[in-house]
Amino acid sequence: MTGTDLAERAAARLKDRSGRLPAGVWSAPGRANLIGEHTDYNDGFVFPFAIDRRTAVALGDRDDRVVRVSSAFAPDPVAVHLDELDPDAIGGWSAYPLGVVWALREFGADLAHARGVDLHLESEVPVGAGLSSSAAIECAVALALSEHWGLGFDRPTLAKVGRLAENRVVGAPTGILDQSASLLAEADAGVFLDCRSLDAEVVPLHFAAAGLAVLVVDTRVEHAHATGGYAARRASCEAGARALGVPTLRELGPGELDRARAILDDETFRRVRHVVTENQRVLDVVRALHEGGPATIGGLLDASHASMRDDFEISTPELDLAVETARAAGAIGARMTGGGFGGSAIALVPLASVDAAAGAVRGAFAAAGFGEPGVFTVVPSPGARRDR
């Protein structure tokens, strides 16, 4: 589906659901993280890119002060009065768009005289696949409301708005990687982000020019960041930083891992080692892209996956099989992407080998008795925008 088709579908369904003609349609992309996993909430470095699968939000004006949201994800709309926004009373799928409304106010938006709106969401970003369908919702809604209500927030601020909604309203202890990718990305480029300073650099990727494609393997093992292992990994990182006497693991370089090994228990040390070495791998990938191009980064992607599998322990048998099979089928590098415990892997594959690699992955999953994966290519794409 093209961006135009998605916007038209959102506009048509807004009219069907609410009877209102859209004042505009905005969209934001999902993302794949090229490298830099679980480093964002440790004030480290990340390097995601936006993908060519998007979430669109159509907006229609109301005559009252109610925000009403509907979506393709759920049969029933959810409505809240702007004077009654309560982060503890918002739940389910509506926590993503309505959490953004609440977070905009927390960042200083004066909504005292804002008119209500009807919002309808349509998405082509797979849910639970580690491609940040949640940030695509948050960023599309944040940009739409900022522009429509004349709030004037810049994109780095809107990324913070989305993160606050995710952390406080949804309850997922994520960093700012996903929202930054969805808002700041450009075509054929990645976003190199320092999560401490929030300085961002757009770095050309040139995959196609180098004869490479990004193959995504959605294992269809769904993950949930608001519960379970993600929060446990974050707590372990914070405990490691406290034991080592630093504010965050960003302060540590690879040369300090021997000291960390002497102080920490084995599990906490391995969590720390992943973050420290992953930060270095992000820097190494950016340097390699500048100096040698994308054909030189495969080994760093492989090392990142091994670290997430063995030290951070967030991979799954399905993710490991996807990575191993893609590499055996000709990928120059592969790794799981996203928060882990399910979701997707990415592989850098020569263009001539894409079909063979995709077929090999499907065959390997069938032979292992796993469910059929989703296998598709993605293209580094522009960030959030107004479509009509």
Side-chain angles (χ1 to χ4, degrees):
M1 180 180 298
T2 68
T4 300
D5 291 340
L6 184 67
E8 292 300 326
R9 188 174 75 189
R13 291 190 178 170
L14 174 74
K15 188 173 185 301
D16 291 342
R17 295 283 188 102
S18 69
R20 302 181 192 280
L21 294 173
V25 181
W26 290 257
S27 70
R31 65 95 190 96
N33 195 22
L34 185 63
I35 198 161
E37 226 64 78
H38 288 262
T39 49
D40 57 346
Y41 57 77
N42 288 292
D43 280 355
F45 302 105
V46 296
F47 191 33
F49 60 91
I51 63 173
D52 52 339
R53 295 194 174 208
R54 305 180 72 87
T55 294
V57 57
L59 179 153
D61 279 310
R62 296 176 62 96
D63 297 325
D64 54 21
R65 285 178 44 76
V66 169
V67 176
R68 180 180 181 270
V69 293
S70 62
S71 80
F73 322 129
D76 299 319
V78 178
V80 64
H81 196 282
L82 282 169
D83 296 330
E84 299 172 357
L85 286 169
D86 178 356
D88 296 317
I90 302 169
W93 71 269
S94 69
Y96 297 97
L98 294 178
V100 166
V101 182
W102 171 82
L104 286 168
R105 189 181 66 188
E106 294 299 297
F107 271 84
D110 182 1
L111 304 183
H113 304 291
R115 291 175 62 185
V117 290
D118 276 305
L119 303 173
H120 180 76
L121 292 155
E122 292 283 332
S123 185
E124 57 192 12
V125 184
V127 174
L131 300 175
S132 204
S133 57
S134 59
I137 294 171
E138 292 155 359
C139 295
V141 170
L143 183 64
L145 294 177
S146 179
E147 291 189 358
H148 186 69
W149 282 339
L151 303 179
F153 288 172
D154 62 17
R155 288 178 180 240
T157 300
L158 292 177
K160 296 176 186 177
V161 166
R163 177 181 60 179
L164 179 60
E166 185 107 7
N167 293 169
R168 177 65 181 84
V169 183
V170 177
T174 55
I176 203 166
L177 182 161
D178 298 342
Q179 294 83 7
S180 295
S182 191
L183 282 157
L184 303 179
E186 297 180 10
D188 197 25
V191 179
F192 171 43
L193 179 68
D194 180 335
C195 295
R196 180 168 63 188
S197 68
L198 299 185
D199 290 339
E201 176 190 356
V202 175
V203 178
L205 293 171
H206 299 321
F207 290 146
L212 296 169
V214 181
L215 186 70
V216 174
V217 179
D218 176 4
T219 65
R220 295 185 171 140
V221 177
E222 292 194 13
H223 62 181
H225 282 172
T227 58
Y230 191 101
R233 295 306 184 278
R234 181 165 186 163
S236 187
C237 291
E238 291 168 351
R242 284 194 303 272
L244 293 165
V246 292
T248 69
L249 297 182
R250 162 66 178 273
E251 310 302 323
L252 302 177
E256 295 169 274
L257 287 174
D258 286 343
R259 178 174 77 89
R261 187 193 298 271
I263 293 172
L264 303 174
D265 64 86
D266 178 65
E267 180 180 281
T268 306
F269 169 69
R270 287 185 290 108
R271 307 298 189 246
V272 168
R273 180 168 61 185
H274 164 71
V275 173
V276 171
T277 57
E278 186 80 346
N279 274 327
Q280 186 60 51
R281 283 187 287 270
V282 175
L283 299 176
D284 291 344
V285 162
V286 172
R287 184 179 304 110
L289 286 168
H290 282 307
E291 295 177 356
T296 64
I297 69 172
L300 291 162
L301 303 187
D302 293 341
S304 175
H305 183 78
S307 182
M308 291 185 288
R309 181 191 64 212
D310 302 335
D311 278 354
F312 223 59
E313 296 180 290
I314 57 174
S315 190
T316 65
E318 293 88 349
L319 286 166
D320 292 340
L321 182 61
V323 166
E324 293 159 7
T325 305
R327 288 288 285 117
I332 68 166
R335 64 187 289 275
M336 57 148 284
T337 187
F341 310 103
S344 296
I346 58 171
L348 272 185
V349 182
L351 289 169
S353 301
V354 167
D355 289 343
V361 168
R362 292 189 184 99
F365 270 56
F370 297 151
E372 184 178 359
V375 187
F376 51 91
T377 58
V378 294
V379 177
S381 298
R385 67 191 182 208
R386 183 168 186 162
D387 290 312
R388 55 169 283 180

